[in-house]
Amino acid sequence: MNRRADLRRAALAGLSLLALSAGAASAQVQGASQPADPEAPVVTGEVVIFAPLRDSQTAALREQRQADNLVNVIASDTVGRFPDQNSAAALSRLPAVAVQRDQGQERYIQVRGAPNRWTSVSFDGVPVIGVDEGGAGRAFRFDAVPAVILRSLAVNKSLTPDLPAEAVVAQIDLRTYSPFDRRGTDLQGELGLGRMNLGGGEQRQGSLRGAWSNDTFGVMAAVSHYRRAQITDNREFAYDAARVLSSFDARNYRLQRENNGAAMGLSWRPSDDHEFFLKWVYSEFKDDEERNHYTFQLGSALSGTRGATGGELVGVPVRSTAQFGEYRTKNALTTLGGEHGFADGWRFSWRLNNAKMSNDTNLPLLLQNQQFNRLLRPSLSYRLDDPNFPTIKLYKTINGSTAGTYARGEALTAVDQGAFDFNIGLPIVSEIEGDSWTAKGDLSRENDRWTFKAGYQYDQREIDGNTIGQPTVLLSALLPAIGQADLKAADYVTTKAWETDFPLGATLNYLDNRRLRKDLETKLQTLAAAGRYNPSSIIAPTSRYAIDEKLTAGYGMAKLGFDGGQVVFGARVEHMKQKIAGFIQAGTTVTPLVIENDYTDIFPSVNAKFDLGQDMVLRGAVQRGVARPSFGAIRTGASINDTSAPGTVSGGNPRLKPEYTWGADVSFEYYLSSDSVLSLGGFYRDVDNVLYDARTKVADDTYDAGGIDRTGYDFISTLNGSNGKLYGVELNYQQNFRQLPSPWDGLGVSGNLALLDGEFDTPARKGAPFPGTSKTVVNTALSYEKYGLSARLSYQWRDDWADTLGGLGLGSGGDEFRKAYGNLDLTLRYALNARLTLFADASNLTNETYIAYEGDTKHPSEVEQIGRRFMAGLRFNF
């Protein structure tokens, strides 16, 4: 790691120690006079002007303390005092939770540095399975869920048998509002406007939630909207075998991202012991993206020199790629349920849920321009004074003094964006649809010191879709159909220069990508009408899949309470039945293939809690969990090459085994007061069958067809490795200084530190890092709440982490890492009165540059920046 990162880590360590010192001093001042009050009233997470942040923290900590398992909770009022637009950003405030960003926007979360596939998600206790682009993962996309429709968020870090076993490190429950959260009429909302610093694009957000309830009936409805127009600066790099820069991309994205959400709820309580409810939740993420992309292919220059610090080249090919794409993620969940109490301590709860999930990628424009005429290629000199930002000087390329040679001509100030003599236009489409039905029931009874609970769950999932690919059959069909007079780059160059903060040394203008897409679609429609283009050929048969899953689960558990503690123990049994359908292709022959898997697993767990005093809790847990492979990874689709020696089979692997884990957790929690806590915890996970991408041999007759025995072919796919381990320590501190004299009694501080590590083995490599595991994750915040003012300055930082592992055999060469970065955010809230509050948010104040690199920071693979963001507006409550 470089010196700057070392200094930053040292500073953060110092901040953590300072916070701990302050906490220890505060604890001494408080003594036993302010113990945690387990009987404190529960404060719901509503946006109430005079329900301050500490009340919301009190509710979350009360739930955390009384829980049977190790859990972290964040209430919506806490979320409202951060500039968190989606649920991923909100969850990243919790201990040992890191966030994965896409063009600066939070998308996935990684609990304890683990791959995101090791975390499962539920809505109001009902499990849901995510569908990602191309079926690349089961990981749930949190950027599709606006934070404003949620009442609270809980991260279960240890499992009890009544929770789904499909969670290696955590199970996250997203809890929506209920009409009974507040009696009477309740109307809340907000309106906000802001700007993006890079490019000056608009931010806007709005939400409205209304509810009414009495002792018997309740109704609730909510809507939310967020949109931002964003510029993304981007550089991407490639290197030759000698680790010398061979090409780099200058990219600039203009995009509009939008999150919309809606929720409705009906509740009926015919008596104090019975409640029926119906909930509907909808969320969507929309991304309209214009890509402007120029690749300087330094390694293919006609002549010249390249080195570690720069080069002088003649005739450098430039490739231009432009597109206007649409990305859509949608979730629609409908839940019918009930809670019932009976005599003798019996209780019964039930849920019937339907979840429809979709992820669509529509790229009907991919314009690739090439330069076959060598005189169209620029000559250039480049420097790498900063390896993240190559700077160039451009020159014309002219004929040399002898035939067949070329030389540098006069200097240029701009890239000639019309200097291309060959182009290709292609549509690319991916459509993933998931339809899931879940029925579950839980029966429990309290009997003196014992509580017994048993339950049943049945899930039926149908997933249909395709991976993203560029079928060669479509390419060969369209090349002669779309002439070189069509879609010429010169016809789409505008006079608007790129809005960028990255140096380059030459000027580039935007293309009219939207008109380019429209012209391509018109051309394709004309070709289809003439019988020269078949839209169904867009998706190759080998990328299609249809997967049916039937999961049947049952569990039994017991809780024994005793003086000073309790123990919860039991087991969950899950039976999975899969039917995986797809196609394999050898040459022009396409053959359907269906594989079925059927297996049963037992998942025992034990959670113990000991009250060491009025304000101290010790927890321990042991559990078994599972993570199932992604839909794209287990598809049967595969492309077969019979002409190479040996032949190859590339595609999915329907024989993949799930990843299984045994894990242990321990945690010590010291509740300094009802709204303050100091905790220290550790965990260990031992994982079998770790998934990784590799090359091996076909060992059975799965891919035999047409009389050809393909045993022994190279098999390029996702495989199961042997074992892995993930472990770490979590430190969490949260303190409100109410004992200080006014006005300092409004101060508060919170911070959490996670120290993580882990590795896994494969037949080809020992000690490979888990992608996504930062060894250090830090969240800190300083707050002040008094006199109607609520201010919060927060900082998040994570250490370098492996992003993708290089080589099909997982050799260490070519591993791609993400560089450490931090985000500094400021939120201000001022209550004008009991009904109206002004707010202002400033995000990414450090203007972070997100960097990926291969092996070391001198070899960046991607550099990206989106700039600072600002928002101001009004919140209301009636």
Side-chain angles (χ1 to χ4, degrees):
M1 181 177 294
N2 61 27
R3 181 174 178 81
R4 178 185 174 191
D6 289 336
L7 291 173
R8 182 180 290 180
R9 173 181 279 183
L12 287 168
L15 177 61
S16 298
L17 289 174
L18 179 62
L20 286 177
S21 299
S26 174
Q28 290 177 349
V29 171
Q30 292 180 40
S33 61
Q34 292 186 4
D37 181 6
E39 301 303 322
V42 175
V43 180
T44 61
E46 301 144 353
V47 182
V48 181
I49 297 302
F50 293 108
L53 179 61
R54 64 183 57 176
D55 290 337
S56 182
Q57 292 171 343
T58 297
L61 290 182
R62 181 173 183 267
E63 178 179 349
Q64 175 179 310
R65 178 173 180 170
Q66 295 182 341
D68 292 334
N69 61 329
L70 180 59
V71 63
N72 294 125
V73 180
I74 185 168
S76 64
D77 199 58
T78 305
V79 175
R81 284 166 169 78
F82 284 108
D84 296 335
Q85 178 273 318
N86 65 45
S87 54
L91 286 164
S92 69
R93 310 290 177 181
L94 293 172
V97 178
V99 67
Q100 286 181 273
R101 289 176 166 85
D102 177 71
Q103 298 192 47
Q105 189 170 18
E106 300 84 356
R107 172 163 294 178
Y108 299 110
I109 58 105
Q110 291 177 281
V111 180
R112 293 172 164 176
N116 54 35
R117 66 178 183 272
W118 287 3
T119 297
S120 63
V121 178
S122 62
F123 268 83
D124 296 315
V126 178
V128 294
I129 301 297
V131 291
D132 201 356
E133 293 173 16
R138 291 176 184 253
F140 188 82
R141 284 188 49 165
F142 291 90
D143 56 357
V145 182
V148 296
I149 70 171
L150 301 174
R151 175 173 55 87
S152 64
L153 307 90
V155 178
N156 295 287
K157 294 180 177 177
S158 68
L159 300 181
T160 50
D162 55 344
L163 294 174
E166 198 163 354
V168 172
V169 292
Q171 195 277 339
I172 296 176
D173 191 24
L174 305 177
R175 303 162 177 174
T176 60
Y177 282 95
S178 165
F180 287 123
D181 285 339
R182 191 176 183 183
R183 291 294 189 271
T185 301
D186 179 33
L187 182 65
Q188 303 182 34
E190 68 176 12
L191 295 171
L193 289 174
R195 307 296 286 179
M196 306 290 294
N197 189 62
L198 179 59
E202 180 189 71
Q203 281 195 101
R204 72 184 191 193
Q205 70 180 35
S207 66
L208 181 65
R209 188 179 76 249
W212 175 86
S213 67
N214 58 20
D215 292 336
T216 305
F217 294 99
V219 60
M220 183 274 299
V223 293
S224 70
H225 169 77
Y226 171 80
R227 189 176 75 179
R228 74 188 192 196
Q230 176 180 315
I231 297 290
T232 303
D233 269 343
N234 183 278
R235 297 287 185 270
E236 297 192 13
F237 306 83
Y239 303 89
D240 60 22
R243 303 281 285 161
V244 176
L245 185 66
S246 59
S247 72
F248 75 91
D249 295 357
R251 301 188 182 196
N252 190 279
Y253 302 85
R254 293 198 297 181
L255 52 98
Q256 182 172 284
R257 289 192 164 176
E258 186 174 314
N259 292 73
N260 297 304
M264 291 191 297
L266 297 172
S267 295
W268 175 42
R269 288 180 176 170
S271 69
D272 291 341
D273 294 325
H274 299 277
E275 178 180 346
F276 299 88
F277 65 85
L278 175 65
K279 284 188 176 183
W280 175 79
V281 176
Y282 175 82
S283 65
E284 68 174 4
F285 169 78
K286 301 168 67 175
D287 184 3
D288 294 341
E289 180 177 293
E290 297 182 54
R291 176 183 297 184
N292 294 268
H293 169 189
Y294 289 85
T295 303
F296 296 87
Q297 299 171 295
L298 308 178
S300 300
L302 300 176
S303 62
T305 60
R306 290 183 295 121
T309 60
E312 302 285 340
L313 300 171
V314 174
V316 176
V318 178
R319 183 177 71 244
S320 166
T321 303
Q323 66 185 42
F324 171 46
E326 296 175 328
Y327 305 85
R328 302 288 186 267
T329 299
K330 298 180 181 180
N331 308 305
L333 298 97
T334 304
T335 304
L336 178 65
E339 301 284 343
H340 309 281
F342 302 97
D344 298 326
W346 288 96
R347 295 200 61 83
F348 177 66
S349 67
W350 58 277
R351 304 286 189 273
L352 177 62
N353 172 269
N354 175 247
K356 295 185 182 298
M357 327 288 282
S358 67
N359 187 293
D360 298 335
T361 301
N362 185 13
L363 304 177
L365 175 60
L366 174 61
L367 179 63
Q368 293 181 313
N369 293 293
Q370 306 288 343
Q371 298 167 321
F372 287 165
N373 183 343
R374 296 182 175 186
L375 294 177
L376 293 177
R377 304 175 183 179
S379 297
L380 61 82
S381 62
Y382 71 95
R383 294 191 59 81
L384 293 172
D385 299 324
D386 183 340
N388 297 324
F389 304 111
T391 56
I392 61 176
K393 291 184 179 179
L394 293 175
Y395 305 87
K396 281 188 175 182
T397 298
I398 61 176
N399 289 314
S401 57
T402 59
T405 64
Y406 299 88
R408 177 186 294 179
E410 62 182 277
L412 302 171
T413 59
V415 176
D416 186 350
Q417 294 173 258
F420 300 95
D421 54 1
F422 181 78
N423 65 73
I424 305 170
L426 287 175
I428 296 177
V429 173
S430 172
E431 298 176 346
I432 315 294
E433 303 287 339
D435 193 358
S436 175
W437 286 90
T438 299
K440 65 189 297 284
D442 301 274
L443 181 66
S444 65
R445 186 190 184 197
E446 295 185 21
N447 182 11
D448 195 17
R449 290 177 175 265
W450 287 89
T451 300
F452 299 96
K453 190 174 183 180
Y456 172 84
Q457 178 180 319
Y458 177 76
D459 291 82
Q460 181 171 317
R461 307 164 183 161
E462 297 179 356
I463 301 93
D464 294 274
N466 67 281
T467 58
I468 297 177
Q470 182 174 304
T472 55
V473 60
L474 177 61
L475 178 63
S476 62
L478 289 185
L479 279 178
I482 299 179
Q484 294 308 302
D486 299 315
L487 309 177
K488 293 175 61 176
D491 295 337
Y492 300 95
V493 180
T494 73
T495 59
K496 183 175 178 58
W498 281 11
E499 297 174 281
T500 175
D501 287 339
F502 285 178
L504 180 61
T507 300
L508 285 164
N509 289 348
Y510 289 110
L511 300 183
D512 189 343
N513 292 321
R514 293 175 182 263
R515 182 164 63 89
L516 184 52
R517 167 178 165 167
K518 182 178 179 180
D519 290 349
L520 175 61
E521 291 176 331
T522 300
K523 181 67 176 180
L524 293 177
Q525 291 171 2
T526 301
L527 293 172
R532 301 176 63 190
Y533 163 65
N534 181 4
S536 64
S537 65
I538 292 176
I539 302 174
T542 55
S543 73
R544 296 181 183 271
Y545 56 84
I547 300 174
D548 292 340
E549 294 185 340
K550 294 180 174 61
L551 178 67
T552 305
Y555 73 88
M557 58 185 285
K559 178 168 69 174
L560 171 62
F562 49 86
D563 292 339
Q566 65 177 46
V567 177
V568 180
F569 59 94
R572 185 180 184 90
V573 179
E574 293 191 352
H575 175 251
M576 170 63 79
K577 187 173 183 179
Q578 291 178 318
K579 181 179 180 181
I580 308 168
F583 302 89
I584 59 175
Q585 182 171 359
T588 59
T589 302
V590 177
T591 306
L593 178 63
V594 177
I595 299 292
E596 295 188 8
N597 297 317
D598 194 321
Y599 55 91
T600 302
D601 295 302
I602 301 177
F603 301 99
S605 66
V606 178
N607 283 265
K609 180 173 69 171
F610 304 94
D611 294 319
L612 303 183
Q614 189 175 14
D615 47 15
M616 289 185 288
V617 176
L618 177 65
R619 298 178 186 272
V622 178
Q623 63 188 18
R624 187 171 189 251
V626 64
R628 296 185 173 90
S630 69
F631 303 118
I634 60 173
R635 74 185 195 279
T636 57
S639 297
I640 300 173
N641 186 342
D642 290 316
T643 61
S644 61
T648 61
V649 178
S650 303
N653 183 1
R655 301 299 188 188
L656 278 176
K657 299 177 182 177
E659 297 169 295
Y660 293 101
T661 179
W662 279 100
D665 296 85
V666 63
S667 174
F668 172 77
E669 302 161 8
Y670 178 28
Y671 291 89
L672 306 170
S673 66
S674 62
D675 57 5
S676 303
V677 67
L678 174 65
S679 65
L680 176 65
F683 72 93
Y684 183 90
R685 295 291 186 269
D686 186 85
V687 186
D688 287 331
N689 304 328
V690 176
L691 299 174
Y692 71 102
D693 294 331
R695 181 190 296 259
T696 185
K697 296 292 184 181
V698 175
D700 55 32
D701 62 356
T702 297
Y703 300 101
D704 293 352
I708 300 177
D709 180 3
R710 297 189 172 95
T711 304
Y713 277 28
D714 280 351
F715 184 53
I716 305 171
S717 186
T718 302
L719 301 179
N720 288 114
S722 51
N723 66 307
K725 55 186 177 182
L726 182 72
Y727 49 91
V729 175
E730 303 171 18
L731 179 64
N732 181 37
Y733 170 60
Q734 182 175 301
Q735 177 81 61
N736 290 300
F737 298 103
R738 292 184 293 177
Q739 78 282 358
L740 295 178
S742 181
W744 308 110
D745 54 347
L747 283 173
V749 64
S750 64
N752 54 77
L753 170 68
L755 303 175
L756 311 166
D757 207 349
E759 60 185 33
F760 69 99
D761 297 334
T762 76
R765 182 176 176 183
K766 302 297 182 183
F770 284 113
T773 303
S774 292
K775 293 191 175 183
T776 306
V777 178
V778 177
N779 293 306
T780 62
L782 179 67
S783 63
Y784 184 84
E785 285 204 334
K786 196 170 184 179
Y787 309 120
L789 174 67
S790 175
R792 196 168 183 93
L793 182 67
S794 59
Y795 184 70
Q796 298 175 304
W797 183 82
R798 64 180 300 185
D799 202 356
D800 297 34
W801 73 95
D803 190 42
T804 56
L805 303 179
L808 291 171
L810 275 184
S812 59
D815 284 0
E816 184 180 59
F817 294 83
R818 292 281 171 175
K819 193 174 182 297
Y821 69 86
N823 272 69
L824 181 66
D825 303 324
L826 174 66
T827 63
L828 299 172
R829 305 285 185 267
Y830 181 71
L832 297 174
N833 52 46
R835 303 298 185 189
L836 301 174
T837 298
L838 298 176
F839 73 87
D841 296 333
S843 305
N844 190 27
L845 288 174
T846 50
N847 195 26
E848 283 296 307
T849 300
Y850 307 106
I851 298 173
Y853 60 89
E854 292 183 5
D856 59 70
T857 55
K858 294 181 180 179
H859 295 87
S861 55
E862 183 180 17
V863 178
E864 192 169 73
Q865 190 176 58
I866 68 164
R868 301 175 179 88
R869 309 190 301 279
F870 303 95
M871 175 82 74
L874 177 70
R875 309 182 82 177
F876 55 88
N877 171 50
F878 296 98

